[in-house]
Amino acid sequence: MTKTLTKGPYKADHVGSFLRPERIKEARVLKQNGKITSQQLREIEDEEIIRLVEKQKEVGLTAVTDGEFRRAWWHFDFLSELVGVELYETEAGIQFNGVQTKAHGVKVVGKLDFHDHPMIEDYKFLHRAAGDHVAKFTIPSPNMLFFRGRIEETAYSNQDDFFDDVIKVYQKAIQAFYDAGCRYLQLDDTAWAVFFSDQGQEQIAAKGYSPEELLERFTSAINESIAHKPEDMVITMHICRGNFKSSYTASGGYDNASEFIFGKLKVDGLFLEFDDERSGGFEPIQHVNRDDLQIVLGLITSKFGDLEHPETIKERIREASKYVPLGQICLSPQCGFSSTEEGNLLTEEQQWAKIKHVISIADEVWK
């Protein structure tokens, strides 16, 4: 059933990242200790990505990713390779619920540009491995450089200039991925979560914005970045509340940002977290005002291994279809399985059981 569609998102889809194999984890340590070269590490990654792609095909996915196997972070690895951006050691990691990440961050130190980015070659490798399947690639959204980056005054003293250049960078990036063969690109974004909670409202104020101003800014950054995308390229967005070692950073429903997310963003699809009570109800999706916008419900959690009852998931899909036609709805896990190299707290066997669960339920719902 899922193979008949030519453009994503698919009725059974997934966010992108997969648990890193032990072989890759061990190779990274060897590389850090100078025991193997960068090329040797890449060859190991190549082999494991090919194995991963074949597994995705085997279980029945239409779109396949490289699992983000070459990355330590879902966002910093991409952002730090932009011209004018550097990775650096921070005083503390990002605080999640009960756990903290490594103390890394990115800072903007010069004029932004997109040139010779290594992930273009990463995509080309995935494209070759995908064969007759759709190669899906994930990158952080333009809002993430603003939200997670430290912008040096010497680089940009004016936020209008900063956002203008970020948009130009992403327009170049999107064209570069397209030229490399990419037809399914996903923008991952945790920045929208600031609108969902009281704590987030404080973060908005700390950035010098009102909620309405920042909503306009975020929406414009996305829409202008994708404004010139080729017609046969699908660009989706995954809106996340944090995913690190099965923990999270934010809670709250989509209500405060729903008119912008569902009514004004011009992406082709939205991957949404709806795996627990932290995500709120489906009412906000009533603001969807396009019949070509696909709503991907992340009803299957990637954080834990227990499988959700299929009838419960089907009932939730029926509930969502009160607000958006069933034909515009898809199913996926709420996030990837390994947004950072550490991964969530479940086994590879449980990970694949989750993916099969998504496919099985989708096949029954959209017969």
Side-chain angles (χ1 to χ4, degrees), residues 136-347:
K136 172 181 176 177
F137 205 75
T138 63
I139 62 174
S141 97
N143 294 325
M144 292 311 302
L145 189 56
F146 169 75
F147 185 64
R148 286 295 183 203
R150 193 177 87 193
I151 306 168
E152 302 286 3
E153 280 279 330
T154 53
Y156 290 94
S157 57
N158 182 293
Q159 289 192 357
D160 288 340
D161 293 340
F162 168 78
F163 272 99
D164 284 347
D165 282 356
V166 169
I167 289 163
K168 291 173 187 173
V169 162
Y170 270 78
Q171 288 175 344
K172 284 186 176 182
I174 288 167
Q175 188 62 49
F177 279 110
Y178 182 85
D179 291 344
C182 183
R183 298 297 182 268
Y184 190 178
L185 186 69
Q186 179 176 292
L187 306 175
D188 292 330
D189 199 326
T190 61
W192 293 94
V194 296
F195 302 106
F196 304 160
S197 66
D198 292 338
Q199 180 187 5
Q201 300 296 313
E202 296 171 8
Q203 290 177 278
I204 294 170
K207 291 281 189 182
Y209 285 87
S210 69
E212 184 77 13
E213 288 170 338
L214 196 59
L215 282 167
E216 293 279 3
R217 178 71 89 179
F218 278 6
T219 304
S220 175
I222 298 299
N223 288 345
E224 291 185 43
S225 291
I226 69 175
H228 306 302
K229 81 172 183 71
E231 192 172 327
D232 61 337
M233 185 182 202
V234 168
I235 297 183
T236 60
M237 174 176 287
H238 172 233
I239 296 177
C240 182
R241 292 170 177 77
N243 187 50
F244 173 71
K245 291 186 176 180
S246 298
S247 188
Y248 60 90
T249 56
S251 296
Y254 298 90
D255 306 73
N256 292 340
S258 59
E259 292 184 30
F260 285 83
I261 292 172
F262 302 114
K264 296 186 178 182
L265 286 176
K266 296 179 180 178
V267 291
D268 297 301
L270 289 165
F271 283 76
L272 305 168
E273 293 196 347
F274 275 116
D275 61 324
D276 61 23
E277 64 282 353
R278 288 186 306 106
S279 305
F282 295 125
E283 292 83 358
I285 66 174
Q286 67 186 291
H287 292 288
V288 171
N289 55 15
R290 289 164 37 207
D291 59 11
D292 62 342
L293 176 63
Q294 296 296 303
I295 298 297
V296 189
L297 301 178
L299 298 172
I300 306 295
T301 190
S302 68
K303 295 184 185 295
F304 306 104
D306 294 343
L307 293 181
E308 296 81 355
H309 196 289
E311 292 307 317
T312 301
I313 300 303
K314 290 181 207 172
E315 177 54 37
R316 296 199 71 197
I317 293 171
R318 284 192 288 271
E319 185 184 342
S321 70
K322 296 175 184 176
Y323 304 100
V324 172
L326 186 62
Q328 285 180 244
I329 296 175
C330 306
L331 180 65
S332 78
Q334 104 290 346
C335 196
F337 294 93
S338 193
S339 298
T340 67
E341 60 188 339
E342 290 84 358
N344 283 342
L345 306 179
L346 72 170
T347 66

Side-chain angles (χ1 to χ4, degrees), residues 16-65:
S17 66
F18 286 97
L19 295 172
R20 309 298 195 266
E22 285 303 315
R23 187 175 176 226
I24 284 184
K25 292 182 179 181
E26 291 167 3
R28 285 190 178 279
V29 173
L30 291 173
K31 168 64 174 57
Q32 289 167 3
N33 294 334
K35 300 291 180 64
I36 63 173
T37 65
S38 296
Q39 181 57 35
Q40 287 173 311
L41 171 60
R42 190 168 184 86
E43 288 169 1
I44 290 170
E45 291 169 345
D46 287 350
E47 292 172 7
E48 293 300 324
I49 288 169
I50 289 171
R51 188 173 289 116
L52 173 73
V53 168
E54 290 307 309
K55 180 67 175 179
Q56 291 173 80
K57 293 178 183 179
E58 176 191 320
V59 299
L61 288 169
T62 301
V64 298
T65 73

Side-chain angles (χ1 to χ4, degrees), residues 117-131:
H117 199 290
M119 286 195 187
I120 298 298
E121 290 303 316
D122 295 346
Y123 173 77
K124 288 179 180 178
F125 182 86
L126 172 64
H127 189 92
R128 292 192 296 271

